[in-house]
Amino acid sequence: MSEPALQKSRKTVADSWMIIFADLLALLLTFFVLMFSMNSVQVSKWKAVVEALSEQLNPERAKVIDEDWEKVETALVHKEPALSLLYLKRIFEDKLQYDPILQRSRITVLDDRLAISLPSDMIFEQGSSELGKEAYKAMVELGDALRDIPNKIVVVGHTDLEPTSGARYPSNWELSLVRALTVAKMIEEAGYANTIEAYGNGSSRFRELDEQIDLDERFVLARRVDVMIHKQEKQ
């Protein structure tokens, strides 16, 4: 090899360290860029990504799912649809006609409920909430007729304008409420599955009666216990 060629070869070997040094700088620069990018990652988001990937990529991992089991059990309970009020009217007109007390009842279809108006004079003694023997049998028969219907039932007591006397029922409101509770209890004892709401209106609805009706007849109509069968199911 000639002298000039040999010198050129030696110079190339001597300069090769710069290539290695340049590669090292490039690697160091990449490392610091990576460190900087990782330093700016939000830990909460990173953990969420890791957990999500772990759930999806690890089929053996047990999954715990929070469920509101009360709502699930409620949804699984079978509920029968409420019966048509017009259908119930025909049924009760047929069932109640054989009892001398219940056949005096008035059955009326209102906007959202069916009202079976029981005459208090035929069920309770004047100023009392105790059932007589025949009235007890009538309430058992009524309760048996209501036992299997899926509709919600509310019982409301009413009185006329005549004030009560005695310490047991100081006002018409107490008397009407206790009478409503008595009828509701009889229906429940006959087998109606759910609790029945009971209210006392006293004489507050007396003025809603038709004023063209004779006053004595209005007093008779006012003394009643209404069994209200609603459109919706019992709760």
Side-chain angles (χ1 to χ4, degrees):
M1 182 181 293
S2 63
E3 186 65 24
L6 183 60
Q7 289 181 354
K8 184 177 180 181
S9 175
R10 288 176 178 174
K11 187 176 184 306
T12 302
V13 173
D15 293 342
S16 62
W17 67 271
M18 297 184 65
I19 298 174
I20 299 174
F21 182 70
D23 289 341
L24 180 60
L25 288 177
L27 289 173
L28 287 173
L29 178 62
T30 303
F31 173 76
F32 286 118
V33 169
L34 179 62
M35 292 294 292
F36 177 78
S37 63
M38 291 184 66
N39 186 52
S40 63
V41 173
Q42 294 186 14
V43 177
S44 59
K45 292 184 178 181
W46 175 254
K47 287 184 178 179
V49 172
V50 172
E51 291 177 0
L53 290 174
S54 299
E55 291 285 349
Q56 297 300 322
L57 299 179
N58 186 4
E60 300 300 324
R61 182 174 177 178
K63 294 184 178 181
V64 180
I65 302 175
D66 289 334
E67 294 284 359
D68 189 340
W69 290 109
E70 290 186 0
K71 292 183 179 179
V72 172
E73 291 174 359
T74 301
L76 293 176
V77 174
H78 174 68
K79 287 187 176 181
E80 297 181 11
L83 299 177
S84 162
L85 299 183
L86 291 175
Y87 170 75
L88 288 173
K89 183 176 185 292
R90 293 192 295 269
I91 293 297
F92 285 109
E93 284 176 342
D94 179 65
K95 284 191 173 184
L96 303 186
Q97 65 176 323
Y98 302 105
D99 184 274
I101 294 178
L102 296 178
Q103 66 182 209
R104 291 275 310 276
S105 303
R106 297 170 66 247
I107 303 176
T108 309
V109 176
L110 304 174
D111 292 336
D112 60 346
R113 59 199 184 279
L114 175 71
I116 302 176
S117 298
L118 306 171
S120 292
D121 291 349
M122 298 284 292
I123 302 173
F124 303 105
E125 295 291 334
Q126 184 175 0
S128 171
S129 61
E130 301 295 329
L131 293 172
K133 182 178 179 180
E134 294 302 319
Y136 185 90
K137 290 170 55 179
M139 292 301 99
V140 170
E141 185 171 338
L142 175 63
D144 185 66
L146 294 168
R147 179 177 56 193
D148 296 323
I149 69 170
N151 303 58
K152 177 183 176 181
I153 295 178
V154 176
V155 179
V156 185
H158 302 269
T159 66
D160 57 28
L161 298 177
E162 191 72 26
T164 59
S165 58
R168 187 172 185 182
Y169 304 113
S171 73
N172 282 325
W173 177 79
E174 283 88 354
L175 177 61
S176 65
L177 175 60
V178 176
R179 285 179 171 179
L181 289 169
T182 300
V183 173
K185 182 180 179 182
M186 290 297 301
I187 297 173
E188 290 177 352
E189 289 180 352
Y192 184 78
N194 285 64
T195 302
I196 299 174
E197 298 176 16
Y199 301 95
N201 282 345
S203 60
S204 62
R205 299 296 180 89
F206 182 83
R207 289 174 178 78
E208 296 179 6
L209 298 173
D210 189 353
E211 293 184 357
Q212 295 183 356
I213 300 175
D214 183 73
L215 183 60
D216 290 339
E217 187 176 349
R218 270 186 283 160
F219 266 61
V220 173
L221 293 175
R223 296 189 291 268
R224 69 189 189 277
V225 176
D226 289 337
V227 178
M228 300 289 191
I229 304 173
H230 289 249
K231 279 185 178 180
Q232 70 264 35
E233 296 88 349
K234 55 193 173 185
Q235 302 299 316

